[in-house]
Amino acid sequence: MRISKRGEYGLRAMIALAEPAEKSDAPQMMQIKEISLREQISPKFLEQILLTLKNAGLLHSKMGVGGGYYLARSAKEITLGQIFRVLDGPVAPIKCVSQMAYEPCGCPDEETCGLRLAMGDVRNAIANILDNTSLSDVTKRQSAVRKKLGIK
Amino acid sequence: MRISKRGEYGLRAMIALAEPAEKSDAPQMMQIKEISLREQISPKFLEQILLTLKNAGLLHSKMGVGGGYYLARSAKEITLGQIFRVLDGPVAPIKCVSQMAYEPCGCPDEETCGLRLAMGDVRNAIANILDNTSLSDVTKRQSAVRKKLGIK
DNA sequence: TTGAAAGTATACTAGTACTATGGACTTTAT
DNA sequence: ATAAAGTCCATAGTACTAGTATACTTTCAA
């Protein structure tokens, strides 16, 4: 049930891009180097990931000197589910319960397949969290925890 | 977030072994061939999986003619979580939120890492379902759906 | 107008996990 | 004794993962 490194790094990068944007309302621009340094990610690998995210319409970029990446929409409007699906594919643990990429799983009777019923619950539980958590929810929670711990 | 084929097949096989046991109270014994035919699984692959499950103490077997596999405990006492963990490892989507196999994930500050907080929720949601659903819950639900649809 | 900074686009690779398959061996009932 | 059934171990193809490498384009500023 693991998420891939691509997924993990992509989510981290998006959160990093959302974080300063919380204070200043303007979209925050960051460079690959900056993010890779801060999150300890191979810059070349991160590059691929950000590009994928850009092609999916979640990021915009500015080329040339002083360029970088920034969120395509406000942090409130981007959910973890959107990011995850771009990088790691469907959320469902088994294809026959996927909303986005349904495929039959080969059980004798899908309607009454017990595994399918249980895994459907799991899918819904995961999707509920990922699709209802925006980047701004994440950064808010982060800073709440920081305050509670008296850090920074 | 996909489960592996090993996990899927193992869960299917365990459910199949639990199903008839609901009616007759005695532990139901089934042969590899029987399960593989019914669930459309390569018998050799299934063999490996059942062996793993046996070594983990979830199944017992009887050798020789008229042998087969049967549940080591009653269907009420075996959860989907137990089976899943044997075949697919920890439930957590990211190592740093795993209860069974914690490892640091390399984020600058684990306490305040937003991804970690969100993935912790996901882990708990998944574990809640898998650890609180027994094989007997699954078979009961199956037959409930069957009745509702007027099948068999 | 040139060059350095930054993003874009592919191609490649080493390692690992997944999904099996095959064959030799052991146990058991008849 | 023999055949059915389970056990154990080795290995092979494929796909995926994580990461590198290389060449190219855009932009800005000196």
Side-chain angles (χ1 to χ4, degrees):
Chain A
M1 225 60 137
R2 200 60 36 93
I3 77 176
S4 75
K5 283 291 175 187
R6 297 183 86 241
E8 182 189 326
Y9 292 164
L11 286 162
R12 283 192 197 292
M14 292 293 280
I15 292 170
L17 281 164
E19 207 171 357
E22 205 189 357
K23 300 160 203 164
S24 62
D25 214 36
Q28 171 73 6
M29 182 143 71
M30 286 178 86
Q31 296 179 354
I32 291 181
K33 197 188 285 184
E34 206 176 337
I35 302 175
S36 77
L37 221 73
R38 173 164 146 180
E39 303 286 339
Q40 305 281 40
I41 304 171
S42 145
K44 277 304 205 177
F45 192 30
L46 182 58
E47 190 182 297
Q48 275 188 3
I49 295 167
L50 294 184
L51 205 46
T52 307
L53 255 12
K54 190 202 153 179
N55 290 333
L58 296 178
L59 285 180
H60 287 162
S61 67
K62 183 167 178 293
M63 277 185 135
V65 179
Y69 288 91
Y70 55 96
L71 299 183
R73 279 167 279 147
S74 98
K76 278 194 207 67
E77 296 169 293
I78 302 179
T79 67
L80 299 187
Q82 288 163 18
I83 303 167
F84 180 89
R85 286 199 182 84
V86 167
L87 296 170
D88 274 25
V91 163
I94 209 172
K95 284 180 200 160
C96 60
V97 297
S98 178
Q99 303 279 303
M100 325 290 284
Y102 168 84
E103 265 183 64
C105 56
C107 53
D109 181 9
E110 257 195 23
E111 287 293 315
T112 64
C113 168
L115 184 60
R116 185 159 173 277
L117 294 167
M119 287 302 160
D121 290 348
V122 172
R123 191 218 89 93
N124 289 338
I126 299 174
N128 251 320
I129 295 175
L130 295 183
D131 289 336
N132 292 311
T133 306
S134 71
L135 287 175
S136 108
D137 292 331
V138 172
T139 56
K140 267 182 206 147
R141 195 166 166 192
Q142 274 186 345
S143 51
V145 173
R146 278 210 194 93
K147 235 166 240 168
K148 198 176 161 188
L149 294 176
I151 301 171
K152 263 184 219 164
Chain B
M1 223 62 134
R2 202 56 39 93
I3 76 175
S4 74
K5 283 291 177 188
R6 298 182 86 241
E8 181 189 328
Y9 292 165
L11 285 163
R12 282 193 198 292
M14 292 294 279
I15 292 170
L17 281 163
E19 208 172 353
E22 207 187 354
K23 299 160 204 164
S24 62
D25 213 37
Q28 171 73 7
M29 183 142 70
M30 285 179 86
Q31 295 181 354
I32 291 182
K33 196 186 286 183
E34 206 177 337
I35 302 174
S36 76
L37 220 74
R38 173 164 146 180
E39 304 287 339
Q40 305 282 41
I41 305 170
S42 144
K44 275 304 211 174
F45 192 28
L46 183 59
E47 186 184 299
Q48 275 188 3
I49 295 166
L50 295 184
L51 205 46
T52 307
L53 254 13
K54 190 200 150 178
N55 290 333
L58 295 178
L59 285 180
H60 287 162
S61 68
K62 183 165 177 293
M63 275 186 135
V65 180
Y69 289 90
Y70 54 96
L71 300 183
R73 278 166 279 147
S74 98
K76 278 193 207 70
E77 296 169 294
I78 301 179
T79 68
L80 299 186
Q82 289 162 16
I83 302 167
F84 180 90
R85 287 200 181 84
V86 166
L87 296 170
D88 275 25
V91 162
I94 208 173
K95 283 181 201 161
C96 60
V97 297
S98 179
Q99 303 279 304
M100 326 291 284
Y102 168 85
E103 263 183 65
C105 55
C107 53
D109 181 8
E110 258 197 22
E111 287 293 315
T112 63
C113 167
L115 184 61
R116 186 160 173 276
L117 293 167
M119 287 303 159
D121 290 348
V122 173
R123 191 219 88 93
N124 289 338
I126 299 174
N128 251 322
I129 296 175
L130 295 184
D131 289 336
N132 292 311
T133 306
S134 70
L135 287 175
S136 109
D137 292 332
V138 173
T139 55
K140 267 182 206 145
R141 195 166 167 193
Q142 274 185 343
S143 51
V145 173
R146 279 210 193 95
K147 236 165 240 167
K148 199 175 161 191
L149 294 176
I151 303 171
K152 265 186 216 163

